[in-house]
Every structure is written in C-alpha cells, then in structure tokens.
Amino acid sequence: MSGRLVFIVVAAIANVGLGAFIWLKSSRNAINRYFALFSFAVAAWTVSNGLVSSYADSPWGYVWARLAFASASLIPITFLWFAHVFPTTQSNASHRFLIGLSAVAALSFLVSFTPLMVRGTALITQTLQVNYGPLHLPFGIYLVCCFGASLVILLRKLGRLTGL
C-alpha cells in the first residue's frame, strides 16, 4: 500500500470515528444522525477515490470509480438534511423540496453503478483518466443545487439566530 493510500485510509477512519462518536453521543437527535451519515458518506468517498487512483489500470478501477460516485451522491443530500435540522429544526425548506432532492440523490446513487456515470478508468502517464458517462453533467448540477440549497438554508437560519 502506497503512502498516499495509507493517508487516505487514515482520513477515512477519522471520518468514520467522528461520525460514530457523534452518532453514539445521541442517536435519537436528528442533528447527530444526519451529521454521522454525512461523515460516513465522506469516508466512503475518500476511500473509493484513493482506491480508484491506486488501481485505475486494473479491472477494479471502474468499480472503485462507480463507488466514488455512489458515495459522492450521498454527501450533498446528507449535508442538506443536516442543514435542515441544524442548529434548529425551524427551516424554510419545504417538505416537497427535501423529498424531491432525496429522490434525485437516490436515483444518482443507483445510476452511479452503471456506465451512465463512469464507463472506465485508465492510468496515462501516472495520471488517472476517467471515461465519464452521459449523466456526469447532471450529477454535477445535482451536487451544486444540493450544496447551494444547504448554504441558503444555513444562511437564512444564521440571520434568525440570536445570542452567543
């Protein structure tokens, strides 16, 4: 295992540890649950990116790339769920909006395992090359929309919060 991959695995373990610590602190609290899910998704994405970089030229390269996209599909939606309940559950995001983006996340997760997202990987002059499928651009749009909505929710809440 290369030094770079070791560092990536350590970072993923740290994310899993943080998520597990927060989850175990109070698993009934929605803030804790959503933050933990976000941490676990980031850990899965970190590991799969490290593996696709390390094994791009092998038959497993595209498998790790697809897993990277699948886990990346979960990062923005779990962050949106977290933003919706943090630090207070008073959010102006509609229930339909959250369900709609959750459905897009689920679809993105499932499509990530097909050639529609990643067709293959290669290592050319020691650089990872990914052959993306036709749904790569819509995936990027979903990512930007989800993170953008999360930031809008958090900024609106910041304007309403008082005290220290």
Side-chain angles (χ1 to χ4, degrees), residues 11-98:
I13 290 170
N15 271 302
V16 169
L18 176 63
F21 175 77
I22 297 298
W23 185 296
L24 294 172
K25 203 73 168 143
S26 177
S27 62
R28 293 177 188 246
N29 186 341
I31 293 172
N32 293 44
R33 282 193 316 270
Y34 294 142
F35 183 83
L37 290 173
F38 173 72
S39 292
F40 298 151
V42 169
W45 177 74
T46 302
V47 167
S48 55
N49 270 312
L51 291 170
V52 74
S53 295
S54 297
Y55 300 104
D57 253 355
S58 78
W60 283 90
Y62 78 93
V63 173
W64 296 122
R66 289 178 180 176
L67 187 59
F69 274 97
S71 53
S73 297
L74 301 176
I75 292 172
I77 196 64
T78 55
F79 187 71
L80 178 65
W81 295 339
F82 173 73
H84 181 65
V85 297
F86 178 83
T88 170
T89 57
Q90 294 174 330
S91 173
N92 54 358
S94 75
H95 190 63
R96 280 187 172 158
F97 178 73
L98 292 172

Side-chain angles (χ1 to χ4, degrees), residues 6 28 34 64 93 98 125 130 146 155:
V6 168
R28 293 177 188 246
Y34 294 142
W64 296 122
L98 292 172
T125 63
V130 179
C146 225
L155 286 172

Side-chain angles (χ1 to χ4, degrees), residues 129-145:
Q129 298 292 316
V130 179
N131 182 4
Y132 297 109
L135 293 184
H136 182 253
L137 179 60
F139 172 80
I141 294 168
Y142 151 71
L143 210 76
V144 169
C145 288

